[in-house]
Amino acid sequence: MERLYASEGPIRIGVSSCLLGEQVRFDGGHKRSDFLVDTLGRFVEFVPVCPEMEIGLGAPRESIRLIRDDTRAVRLVGNKTGLDHTDKMTAYAERRTTGLGRDDLSGYVLKKDSPSCGMERVRVYGPSGTAMRDGAGLFASALMRRYPSLPIEEEGRLNDPHLRENFVERVFAYRRMRSFFSTRWTLGGLVQFHTVHKLVLMAHSPKAYSELGRFVANVKQLARDRVRDDYERGFMDALKKLATTSRHTNVLHHMLGYLRDHLDATARAELIGLIDDYRSGFVPLVVPITLFRHYVREFDISYLRGQVYLEPHPKELMLRNHV
């Protein structure tokens, strides 16, 4: 699986600058994320962005917030002065997000709760001064509109091991998909791409796997751009659905079928026992997966050897080590 991470150039992820330890917040401080800098940073190249600094607000600076005026429009204003930064931030966001397309991003991590970078549940103050957590930062909104399939997360949600694994898995999947479509791809190549992601898709959404399979089988009459765009949207939407213990268990049993003619009764019972231990929450997913990878290598099971599911992201990240 090393071919998935090598010889493709750097994997770039956009990120709110403060999460890298840059002192760009309104109070002159930062919100350094150890996971991003010390762990994920070993495998990716970050593209830092601070919308508030880049529109010239400086650091330290007056804090800003979102308000909803009498017309229900959301404005970005200074907390004390009421100075309105909406038009400047909106114009900047459209320009900056367009420019990010040249950086070939495979993901983006935003600062939670930020009136510029918050992805969701950002406070929006009404005319009476009451806040509702139903907003999104102006820059984040422009980013999500422009790149709807791009893996985007908030750093706070990455503290959840399941959301963390889902985001990183989507980053590497997005990179593989974009790398594929950047070549002189063929319909046969698309079938192969879909096939090697079969078990990954089944762990997230068996329904989406089937729907994408039917789509791939019936695309001969469609324009290439339409095929690419529709597959990209369906593929990434499927991976947004969190993989569950139940679906992982079904995938493991599916893989077990390919080893039927290679394992004796004792080895088979051991593997079934590990699958059941995983299903019951006694061991993490990496435990049965490690044994499967051993048998795939030992018996040279070509179909399973090609499945991305066995290593969808670098094992050094230890994302499958949680129970």
Side-chain angles (χ1 to χ4, degrees):
M1 288 298 167
E2 286 78 6
R3 69 185 187 277
L4 298 176
Y5 315 118
S7 303
E8 295 181 347
I11 296 176
R12 295 189 180 92
I13 295 181
V15 62
S16 295
S17 301
C18 60
L19 301 178
L20 300 183
E22 296 185 17
Q23 296 177 310
V24 295
R25 285 178 56 79
F26 74 94
D27 58 2
H30 62 79
K31 288 290 184 178
R32 185 184 190 276
S33 164
D34 292 342
F35 168 70
L36 292 178
V37 177
D38 300 330
T39 303
L40 188 58
R42 295 158 53 203
F43 300 93
V44 305
E45 179 180 291
F46 289 117
V47 178
V49 179
C50 179
E52 294 170 29
M53 288 288 285
E54 292 182 20
I55 66 170
L57 295 186
R61 57 183 174 272
E62 177 188 22
S63 60
I64 56 178
R65 64 178 178 176
L66 298 176
I67 65 166
R68 186 174 285 115
D69 63 23
D70 292 333
T71 68
R72 304 294 294 171
V74 174
R75 313 292 299 178
L76 181 67
V77 302
N79 234 346
K80 294 181 179 180
T81 65
L83 187 63
D84 195 322
H85 303 288
T86 310
D87 294 342
K88 194 171 187 178
M89 180 63 78
T90 300
Y92 158 83
E94 293 301 317
R95 182 175 67 254
R96 189 69 166 96
T97 55
T98 300
L100 286 171
R102 295 188 290 272
D103 289 308
D104 190 26
L105 300 182
S106 295
Y108 206 107
V109 182
L110 294 160
K111 178 69 189 76
K112 73 181 182 72
D113 297 332
S114 165
S116 59
C117 293
M119 188 176 78
E120 61 182 18
R121 293 181 53 78
V122 177
R123 288 187 179 89
V124 182
Y125 293 83
S128 67
T130 302
M132 298 286 289
R133 279 190 167 274
D134 61 354
L138 296 192
F139 176 80
S141 295
L143 179 71
M144 292 185 288
R145 282 195 304 270
R146 187 168 296 278
Y147 304 109
S149 294
L150 183 71
I152 299 175
E153 256 304 353
E154 290 186 329
E155 107 287 354
R157 285 166 50 90
L158 293 179
N159 292 322
D160 182 307
H162 300 285
L163 296 177
R164 176 183 294 189
E165 180 184 0
N166 179 265
F167 172 70
V168 175
E169 183 176 8
R170 285 189 289 135
V171 165
F172 282 92
Y174 187 83
R175 176 54 183 268
R176 290 191 298 272
M177 180 193 65
R178 299 286 289 195
S179 294
F180 169 72
F181 281 123
S182 70
T183 65
R184 294 177 62 86
W185 60 276
T186 64
L187 294 182
L190 181 58
V191 170
Q192 183 181 19
F193 179 90
H194 184 69
T195 299
V196 301
H197 287 88
K198 173 182 178 178
L199 301 183
V200 166
L201 289 166
M202 286 179 63
H204 288 267
S205 174
K207 179 182 178 183
Y209 167 72
S210 297
E211 290 175 348
L212 279 170
R214 288 193 293 271
F215 172 76
V216 170
N218 294 281
V219 298
K220 291 183 179 179
Q221 306 306 317
L222 297 179
R224 288 171 62 83
D225 287 352
R226 168 78 182 278
V227 173
R228 180 197 61 213
D229 293 346
D230 286 0
Y231 188 86
E232 175 179 313
R233 181 169 55 253
F235 181 72
M236 296 309 300
D237 282 350
L239 296 187
K240 280 184 181 179
K241 298 177 173 64
L242 290 181
T244 65
T245 298
S246 175
R247 288 196 286 268
H248 275 306
T249 300
N250 290 339
V251 168
L252 295 172
H253 278 290
H254 181 80
M255 289 197 297
L256 186 61
Y258 288 89
L259 297 175
R260 183 181 297 112
D261 298 331
H262 301 278
L263 301 181
D264 61 27
T266 300
R268 181 177 172 82
E270 178 187 23
L271 192 48
I272 290 174
L274 286 179
I275 294 172
D276 192 54
D277 283 347
Y278 164 70
R279 181 188 59 79
S280 300
F282 298 138
V283 300
L285 180 60
V286 69
V287 173
I289 287 290
T290 298
L291 189 53
F292 267 110
R293 291 181 64 188
H294 166 73
Y295 286 135
V296 168
R297 289 192 302 269
E298 180 179 354
F299 300 117
D300 194 25
I301 311 297
S302 59
Y303 177 78
L304 293 182
R305 190 177 64 244
Q307 285 294 311
V308 173
Y309 180 79
L310 289 174
E311 193 177 339
H313 36 64
K315 60 182 179 293
E316 292 86 353
L317 291 172
M318 298 186 292
L319 296 172
R320 286 175 159 179
N321 291 35
H322 60 84
V323 176

